[in-house]
């Protein structure tokens, strides 16, 4: 049996395990370990398992994962997400479609605290859906705005998706965080413009909310001040070079705990819940990374990446044609696979092709993460859609998917803008880190 055939069978086996809902880390590990055993030896597989596990576990850069996850969980337990929504509500809630726009802005702000799309959708769904229902918003628009707004959590730094991409491709976490800022802001604004356009064309979708006084606006901003301070010091510290990403994560987690305690919103019980959730999520991510470092050598031994790379390079469609084909693969895979699984499965195959074509790996990373976002709201496995469904059980699942479709199309447009104008991605990392 040829090595390429073993590799192809391994990939098919991995896809089958994922379809059967085997946990991502275990599915990747089984295929990687088994493939190395077949193509090399059991001793090689065991040796690689021991060395890669130690290497991943001792990587100091990965400390950002538990710290940023803890920061987001503490913020949720301390009610800071509610303060973010209240501030956005006070500022723009009175305009037509303002409550949905406030939800998207709140998701963007919360994304700068937690770096998780699922957490953003779940948290903002809890605080905003009841308000939009109270003011007779269309269920499709309200749930669609929550599900789509939640996807900003994986693009706006600190982003767990960027950390995983950086580890898999040996890129700078700091540069990726910088690269995600302007695209994240751009996408947030595009979502808000879409909501305003839909509300203008069909006013029944999103009636105007109650007007707020200047005093209420000031109170809303005052309530969000702790969060703004945390974001300014952590993310701003990375951008200004004061902190490394690891140091910024530690500062952010510490400040979130202090503010939560000072506001008397964080108890020992809620802190313990946040810590437990952070440990569980971190363990899941670490297992995926360890498994990924078993899969990558297997794919290298099978020569699958080289064969596929040669095939793509031989196509007479030009560099951007190959890029679009790769992004299309991500869009299709996003309908069926979880985002981390896609990164682990595809980076060893696609990343060498991208670098051979001369594309900037940081720019490509942002495009990949944006397509992963689209997978979070793509049928039939869109995770954020099911998260919103759990918060709004009375809304049919098909209506939520219909509600996210306009946002999905806007994300396609955003990818087009980033391809045509790569400086949207590269301006900050090139000017602030070179």
């Amino acid at each position: 049996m040829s090595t390429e055939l073993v590799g192809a069978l391994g990939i098919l086996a991995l896809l089958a395990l994922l379809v059967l809902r085997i946990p991502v880390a275990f599915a990747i590990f089984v295929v990687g370990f088994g493939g190395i055993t077949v193509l090399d030896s059991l001793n090689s597989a065991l040796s690689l398992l021991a060395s890669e596990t130690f290497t991943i576990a001792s990587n100091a850069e990965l400390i950002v994962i538990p710290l940023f996850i803890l920061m987001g969980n503490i913020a949720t337990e301390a009610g800071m997400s509610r303060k973010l929504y209240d501030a956005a509500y006070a500022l723009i809630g009175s305009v037509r479609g303002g409550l949905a726009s406030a939800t998207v802005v709140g998701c963007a702000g919360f994304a700068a605290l937690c770096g998780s799309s699922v957490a953003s959708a779940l948290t903002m769904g809890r605080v905003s859906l009841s308000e939009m229902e109270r003011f007779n918003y269309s269920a499709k628009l309200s749930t669609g705005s929550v599900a789509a707004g939640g996807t900003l959590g994986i693009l706006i730094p600190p982003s767990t998706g960027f950390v995983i991409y950086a580890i898999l491709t040996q890129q700078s976490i700091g540069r990726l965080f910088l690269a995600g800022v302007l695209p994240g802001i751009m996408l947030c604004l595009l979502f808000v413009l879409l909501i305003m356009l839909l509300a203008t064309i069909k006013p029944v979708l999103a009636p105007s909310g109650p007007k707020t006084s200047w005093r209420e606006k000031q109170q809303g901003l005052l309530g969000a001040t702790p969060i703004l301070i945390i974001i300014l010091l952590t993310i701003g510290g990375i951008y200004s070079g004061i902190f490394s990403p690891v140091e910024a994560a530690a500062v952010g987690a510490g400040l979130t705990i202090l503010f939560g305690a000072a506001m008397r919103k964080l108890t020992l019980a809620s802190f313990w819940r946040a810590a437990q959730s952070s440990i569980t999520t971190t363990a899941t991510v670490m297992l995926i990374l360890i498994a990924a470092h078993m899969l990558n050598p297997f794919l290298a031994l099978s020569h699958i990446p080289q064969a596929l790379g040669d095939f793509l390079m031989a196509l007479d469609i030009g560099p951007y044609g190959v890029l679009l084909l790769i992004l299309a693969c991500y869009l299709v895979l996003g309908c069926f696979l979880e985002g981390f699984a896609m990164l682990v499965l595809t980076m060893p195959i696609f990343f060498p092709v991208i670098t051979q074509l001369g594309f900037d790996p940081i720019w490509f990373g942002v495009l990949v993460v944006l397509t992963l976002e689209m997978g979070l709201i793509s049928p039939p496995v869109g995770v954020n859609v099911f998260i919103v469904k759990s918060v709004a059980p009375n809304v049919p699942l098909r209506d939520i998917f219909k509600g996210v479709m306009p946002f999905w199309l806007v994300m396609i447009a955003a990818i087009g803008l980033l391809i045509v104008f790569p400086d949207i991605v590269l301006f900050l990392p090139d000017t602030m880190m070179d």
Side-chain angles (χ1 to χ4, degrees), residues 84-85 87-89 91-92 98-111 124 145 149 152 156 188-189 191-192 195:
L84 268 175
Y85 177 73
Y89 178 100
L91 290 174
I92 60 176
L99 298 183
S101 297
T103 299
V104 170
V105 173
C107 285
F110 191 68
M124 283 299 156
S145 62
L152 295 170
I156 295 178
C188 178
L189 293 176
F191 283 169
V192 170
I195 292 168

Side-chain angles (χ1 to χ4, degrees), residues 24-49:
V24 172
F26 294 117
I28 294 171
F29 171 77
V30 166
V31 172
F33 187 89
I36 293 171
T37 301
V38 171
L39 293 178
D40 196 336
S41 68
L42 178 60
N43 286 337
S44 294
L46 290 172
S47 175
L48 191 63
L49 174 61

Side-chain angles (χ1 to χ4, degrees), residues 5 14 17 75 84 87 93 111 120 122 131 136 151 177 183 189 192 255 260 306 328 366 395 398:
L5 180 57
L14 176 57
L17 290 173
L84 268 175
S120 297
L122 181 62
E131 287 295 308
N136 297 318
T151 63
F177 278 2
L189 293 176
V192 170
L255 285 174
Q306 180 181 348
V366 173
V395 181
R398 65 177 180 277

Side-chain angles (χ1 to χ4, degrees), residues 371-418:
T371 54
L372 294 184
E373 285 189 65
M374 297 178 68
L376 291 170
I377 57 174
S378 297
V381 187
V383 175
N384 274 22
V385 173
F386 286 92
I387 291 294
V388 173
K389 173 64 176 176
S390 70
V391 182
N394 295 326
V395 181
L397 196 61
R398 65 177 180 277
D399 285 351
I400 305 178
F401 274 117
K402 288 179 181 178
V404 299
M405 278 301 103
F407 296 94
W408 194 89
L409 294 174
V410 164
M411 294 169 85
I412 289 285
I415 290 176
L417 287 173
L418 297 184

Side-chain angles (χ1 to χ4, degrees), residues 84-159:
L84 268 175
Y85 177 73
D86 288 344
Y89 178 100
L91 290 174
I92 60 176
S94 60
V95 302
R96 190 171 294 281
L99 298 183
S101 297
T103 299
V104 170
V105 173
C107 285
F110 191 68
L113 281 176
C114 72
S116 167
S117 294
V118 171
S120 297
L122 181 62
T123 304
M124 283 299 156
R126 286 172 175 169
V127 301
S128 66
L129 285 175
S130 59
E131 287 295 308
M132 287 188 276
E133 183 180 7
R134 186 160 68 93
F135 287 96
N136 297 318
Y137 268 59
S138 162
K140 293 178 184 177
L141 179 61
S142 59
T143 55
S145 62
V146 173
T151 63
L152 295 170
I154 199 175
L155 183 61
I156 295 178
S159 162

Side-chain angles (χ1 to χ4, degrees), residues 1-360:
M1 187 182 295
S2 68
T3 56
E4 289 85 357
L5 180 57
V6 173
L9 291 175
I11 292 174
L12 290 175
L14 176 57
L15 292 174
L17 290 173
L18 293 173
V19 169
L20 292 173
R21 298 299 183 184
I22 302 299
V24 172
F26 294 117
I28 294 171
F29 171 77
V30 166
V31 172
F33 187 89
I36 293 171
T37 301
V38 171
L39 293 178
D40 196 336
S41 68
L42 178 60
N43 286 337
S44 294
L46 290 172
S47 175
L48 191 63
L49 174 61
S51 62
E52 291 300 332
T53 300
F54 179 79
T55 300
I56 293 296
S58 60
N59 189 334
E61 283 191 328
L62 290 180
I63 296 174
V64 301
I65 294 176
L67 289 175
F68 276 131
I69 291 172
L70 178 63
M71 185 169 73
N73 287 334
I74 293 291
T76 300
E77 293 288 345
M80 293 183 181
S81 54
R82 178 81 213 191
K83 298 293 185 183
L84 268 175
Y85 177 73
D86 288 344
Y89 178 100
L91 290 174
I92 60 176
S94 60
V95 302
R96 190 171 294 281
L99 298 183
S101 297
T103 299
V104 170
V105 173
C107 285
F110 191 68
L113 281 176
C114 72
S116 167
S117 294
V118 171
S120 297
L122 181 62
T123 304
M124 283 299 156
R126 286 172 175 169
V127 301
S128 66
L129 285 175
S130 59
E131 287 295 308
M132 287 188 276
E133 183 180 7
R134 186 160 68 93
F135 287 96
N136 297 318
Y137 268 59
S138 162
K140 293 178 184 177
L141 179 61
S142 59
T143 55
S145 62
V146 173
T151 63
L152 295 170
I154 199 175
L155 183 61
I156 295 178
S159 162
T160 308
F162 281 143
V163 175
I164 302 300
Y165 177 86
I167 298 301
L168 292 175
T169 61
Q170 301 299 305
Q171 298 300 310
S172 164
I173 295 175
R175 284 183 64 86
L176 283 163
F177 278 2
L178 281 170
V181 175
L182 294 182
I185 294 173
M186 179 191 76
L187 188 58
C188 178
L189 293 176
L190 288 174
F191 283 169
V192 170
L193 289 174
L194 171 65
I195 292 168
M196 294 174 63
L197 178 63
L198 292 175
T200 301
I201 294 174
K202 198 171 182 180
V204 71
L205 293 176
S208 300
K211 293 188 179 298
T212 54
S213 64
W214 279 108
R215 181 178 178 81
E216 289 173 321
K217 288 180 171 61
Q218 291 171 349
Q219 288 176 338
L221 289 173
L222 185 62
T225 299
I227 304 161
L228 297 177
I229 292 174
I230 294 169
I231 294 172
L232 180 64
L233 288 178
T234 55
I235 307 303
I238 295 174
Y239 302 158
S240 61
I242 298 174
F243 303 136
S244 69
V246 173
E247 293 166 340
V251 169
L255 285 174
T256 307
I257 293 171
L258 289 176
F259 277 122
M263 294 186 298
R264 298 184 178 181
K265 298 290 187 180
L266 184 65
T267 63
L268 285 176
S270 60
F271 177 80
W272 181 242
R273 285 195 300 271
Q276 284 182 310
S277 178
S278 301
I279 291 170
T280 302
T281 305
T282 301
T284 301
V285 173
M286 294 298 289
L287 283 173
I288 291 173
L289 283 175
I290 292 170
H293 282 71
M294 294 297 297
L295 181 67
N296 292 356
F298 162 56
L299 292 177
L301 287 171
S302 71
H303 306 303
I304 289 291
Q306 180 181 348
L308 185 58
D310 292 342
F311 170 75
L312 291 174
M313 296 293 291
L315 294 176
D316 190 21
I317 55 176
Y320 283 95
V322 174
L323 174 68
L324 292 177
L325 185 60
I326 290 174
L327 294 179
C329 289
Y330 277 112
L331 291 180
V332 174
L333 289 173
C335 295
F336 306 98
L337 296 180
E338 187 267 340
F340 286 166
M342 279 199 292
L343 278 179
V344 171
L345 179 62
T346 60
M347 275 305 113
I349 299 173
F350 290 148
F351 189 73
V353 176
I354 289 299
T355 53
Q356 189 175 351
L357 289 172
F359 290 120
D360 189 290

